[in-house]
Amino acid sequence: NSKLRHVEKDVLIPQIMRDRAKELCSDKVQAFTKCCQETGFLMVVKCRQENTALKDCLVGYYSDPSFYEECKAEYLKQREEYRATGIKKKNQKVTSNV
């Protein structure tokens, strides 16, 4: 059953999108973080370029319908595994290393 509840559409799938987008934009995340660490209080002024690049990267993924469908498919796969095993994905990683 691939029908989605409100919480899945509005919370769980967007969370996967945010996590994956941060990974895919990791170079821009690192550049912005480094700039903020180096400039302190002046980061609002001095890190504008890095902040804009990071926002553009993230928004590019958030507004991409095919990226949404990819993340939705990933969520449905995780949901199916959870329903079959009763084990959440994060817990599966922990137990598989033991």
Side-chain angles (χ1 to χ4, degrees):
N1 182 8
S2 63
K3 204 167 193 178
L4 295 170
R5 296 172 301 161
H6 167 74
V7 72
E8 292 172 318
K9 281 190 272 192
D10 296 343
V11 178
L12 300 175
I13 293 172
Q15 181 61 52
I16 290 174
M17 291 177 74
R18 280 190 296 277
D19 292 346
R20 290 202 51 217
K22 280 182 195 168
E23 286 174 23
L24 294 166
C25 298
S26 65
D27 57 332
K28 290 162 186 63
V29 171
Q30 288 173 358
F32 179 67
T33 302
K34 184 179 179 200
C35 180
C36 290
Q37 289 170 342
E38 289 174 355
T39 56
F41 291 115
L42 298 174
M43 69 183 172
V44 174
V45 176
K46 296 218 173 191
C47 301
R48 261 192 213 140
Q49 189 174 348
E50 290 84 354
N51 188 29
T52 300
L54 174 56
K55 276 190 206 171
D56 290 347
C57 184
L58 294 172
V59 169
Y61 284 109
Y62 298 157
S63 58
D64 181 352
S66 63
F67 185 67
Y68 174 84
E69 290 302 321
E70 224 176 273
C71 293
K72 177 180 160 184
E74 183 179 323
Y75 171 77
L76 290 172
K77 184 180 173 208
Q78 289 174 13
R79 185 177 78 172
E80 187 179 319
E81 288 173 10
Y82 173 71
R83 287 179 175 176
T85 63
I87 301 169
K88 287 187 179 178
K89 188 177 183 209
K90 289 180 182 177
N91 291 343
Q92 283 179 326
K93 284 183 181 178
V94 171
T95 55
S96 65
N97 291 337
V98 176

